[in-house]
Amino acid sequence: MKKGYLIAIMMILFLSGCGGKKAYSYNPDESSIFISKDGTLKSALVQKIDTKAKSEELKDFANAEVEDFNKLNSANQVKLEEAGIKNDIAKVVFSYTSFECMQEFAKFTQDNSFDLNSVEVYKLSDIDVSKMDSIEIPDGIKGNYIAVIDGKADVYTDGKITYVSNNIEFNDNTAKVDGFNYIIFK
């Protein structure tokens, strides 16, 4: 009888999505960028603060920065995803329409938490990696996407990382890159 209940519970968990593939969201605890499977980019500024600022004040300030930037750059738009202060840690997360937009917004706001020259994402099944300069994926490496990054940043991906070039250490869906690197992720 107990066995039947366990099987029923396992079926419910399986059918409801629990126990399936792990979902990766962007909830950073440090300033970083997020690369999604479709190439969408986000960035986060995370910093310990001493002042008694309120979350609403931070959100108002971040919204004003976004509005000012978007008025000047109709083609490249920024969206405020999150802004708040919790336990003396301020966090602001932005999303971008393109890498160029992320780069321009960082200059506009004097954000130096990353120093990137380029970020490109490809579905591995859609490209011929052998024709890409300086990219060599070792045998046995599995993954569905490749992010080609030139610059320095703490990076989160929208899937489990299976390989990072140049012997860069990684953990689950995060890596710290510096220089020309590529990340293979599921």
Side-chain angles (χ1 to χ4, degrees), residues 32-150:
S32 56
I33 67 165
F34 178 78
I35 302 171
S36 70
K37 295 172 183 175
D38 67 1
T40 304
L41 298 170
K42 295 182 182 183
S43 72
L45 291 169
V46 180
Q47 187 171 348
K48 184 164 180 55
I49 58 171
D50 300 345
T51 65
K52 295 295 178 195
K54 295 185 168 94
S55 288
E56 198 59 38
E57 294 169 334
L58 178 62
K59 187 174 184 177
D60 290 346
F61 177 78
N63 269 322
E65 291 286 300
V66 167
E67 286 177 21
D68 290 347
F69 178 81
N70 286 344
K71 284 178 189 172
L72 297 171
N73 298 282
S74 60
N76 289 321
Q77 296 289 291
V78 176
K79 180 181 174 192
L80 177 64
E81 297 276 327
E82 175 187 345
I85 301 170
K86 187 175 181 181
N87 299 327
D88 296 329
I89 304 291
K91 183 192 306 188
V92 184
V93 178
F94 302 99
S95 62
Y96 307 94
T97 56
S98 66
F99 170 73
E100 292 75 18
C101 179
M102 184 172 78
Q103 204 171 31
E104 288 175 26
F105 188 69
K107 287 178 190 171
F108 182 80
T109 59
Q110 300 177 1
D111 173 7
N112 61 359
S113 63
F114 58 86
D115 183 18
L116 296 167
N117 299 313
S118 65
V119 175
E120 298 176 55
V121 180
Y122 304 98
K123 191 169 184 177
L124 282 170
S125 61
D126 293 345
I127 62 167
D128 184 358
V129 176
S130 66
K131 293 184 178 179
M132 298 176 82
D133 288 340
S134 306
I135 295 182
E136 196 172 306
I137 301 171
D139 290 338
I141 298 298
K142 304 249 189 256
N144 301 322
Y145 301 89
I146 183 170
V148 182
I149 303 164
D150 183 19

